[in-house]
Amino acid sequence: MSSIAKNLEKVRQQIADTAVQSNRQSNEITLLAVSKTRPADDLRSAYEEGQRHFGENYLQESLEKIQSLSDLDICWHFIGPLQSNKTRTVAENFDWMHTVDRLKIAQRLSAQRPEQLAPLNICIQVNISNEDSKSGCSPEQVAELADQISQLPNISLRGLMAIPKASSDPKEQAEAFQKMRLLQLELQQSHPQLDTLSMGMSGDMNEAISAGSTIVRVGTAIFGPRPPKIASSDNH
Ligand SMILES: *Cc1c(COP(=O)(O)O)cnc(C)c1O
């Protein structure tokens, strides 16, 4: 069994165990395999083990993989920061976009989404730990942004996404995730279709699942430590 296959099995088991401990159904939680910096062959290996959702951060790199894996039935998620002049690439090539943090980006994605494709699924990124360096709107801005974005035609607002401040204290992580869950519950009063909370990574997925995450974004625990961005292709 390849290490990717073994790792996937472990991560799936971890999700299932944590779901049970949190009184949740494990099928409420989608595993998004974060494949940035990974060669297309690694994604293909994961696909052969039944993995269908992949998350990418860098546009050029992701386009090459989307092309070379076009024979597979993959659901592509964009999870990186996006400049507004690059929205077309996401609108034309992805199924999900997790990092919308202002109206202008959402407007452009809606206008540029090709008509023959289903609406682009969108999450609003929230800067839940109020970090200066982080993208994401403030928790106070979420409601207005959700009202505006939900009126756009070719996108489907699905929920919220966050990358809480890194912390070695699981309690601190758990609190950030619980804040996200409360934000989602508030929003659901006026937007009941917001069924998604994209939160939790390799190091904090248990806390995220306990708090109500519906998409965990997991890279390292599936593919191993990331190589430097310009990696030789013979390291797998
Ligand atoms: C890289 C990345 C991840 C995955 O992180 P791991 O610690 O490798 O699991 C998740 N979310 C985002 C937005 C990322 O950029």
Side-chain angles (χ1 to χ4, degrees), residues 34 36 57 79-80 161 163 200-203 217-221 226:
V34 175
K36 62 187 174 208
N57 294 59
I79 62 171
M161 178 271 203
I163 313 170
M201 314 199 288
S202 297
R217 308 179 310 265
V218 179
T220 310
R226 272 182 289 280

Side-chain angles (χ1 to χ4, degrees), residues 28 43 66 70-71 73 78 92 94 104 128 141 158 166 183 188 197 215 221 230:
E28 295 169 15
L43 284 73
I66 289 172
S70 62
D71 57 316
D73 186 21
F78 190 77
E92 291 179 350
F94 283 82
K104 182 179 172 195
I128 196 66
Q141 292 170 316
R158 295 295 299 274
L183 271 181
Q188 280 174 335
L197 269 183
I215 300 181
I230 303 164

Side-chain angles (χ1 to χ4, degrees), residues 41-204:
D41 282 352
D42 283 8
L43 284 73
R44 196 174 282 277
S45 302
Y47 186 92
E48 283 164 6
E49 301 302 321
Q51 181 63 35
R52 291 295 177 269
H53 294 264
F54 290 88
E56 290 282 337
N57 294 59
Y58 309 111
L59 279 181
Q60 188 51 44
E61 183 196 320
S62 64
L63 280 184
E64 286 164 20
K65 285 183 237 183
I66 289 172
Q67 253 174 13
S68 73
L69 299 172
S70 62
D71 57 316
L72 307 181
D73 186 21
I74 288 179
C75 185
W76 292 102
H77 297 240
F78 190 77
I79 62 171
L82 187 67
Q83 295 169 339
S84 62
N85 62 346
K86 300 281 171 61
T87 48
R88 182 176 296 279
T89 309
V90 172
E92 291 179 350
N93 293 282
F94 283 82
D95 303 293
W96 282 76
M97 162 63 174
H98 290 230
T99 54
V100 171
D101 60 2
R102 52 194 192 278
L103 181 60
K104 182 179 172 195
I105 297 272
Q107 285 170 329
R108 291 178 61 95
L109 289 168
S110 177
Q112 293 166 343
R113 183 68 169 173
E115 253 170 47
Q116 72 276 16
L117 297 182
L120 180 66
N121 294 295
I122 298 250
C123 292
I124 296 176
Q125 183 177 1
V126 184
N127 185 355
I128 196 66
S129 312
N130 284 315
E131 289 176 278
D132 292 343
S133 57
K134 277 278 167 63
S135 27
C137 69
S138 72
E140 294 73 33
Q141 292 170 316
V142 171
E144 188 185 2
L145 198 50
D147 289 344
Q148 294 166 328
I149 289 179
S150 60
Q151 312 207 354
L152 296 170
N154 302 319
I155 59 184
S156 171
L157 180 61
R158 295 295 299 274
L160 304 177
M161 178 271 203
I163 313 170
K165 183 160 146 253
S167 163
S168 53
D169 179 2
K171 261 201 207 143
E172 216 171 304
Q173 297 306 92
E175 279 169 22
F177 292 136
Q178 283 152 12
K179 276 193 209 162
M180 289 294 295
R181 173 66 177 144
L182 287 179
L183 271 181
Q184 184 199 24
L185 284 170
E186 279 169 31
L187 277 182
Q188 280 174 335
Q189 313 252 326
S190 41
H191 303 279
Q193 79 281 14
L194 299 195
D195 56 5
T196 301
L197 269 183
S198 164
M199 58 189 200
M201 314 199 288
S202 297
D204 54 18

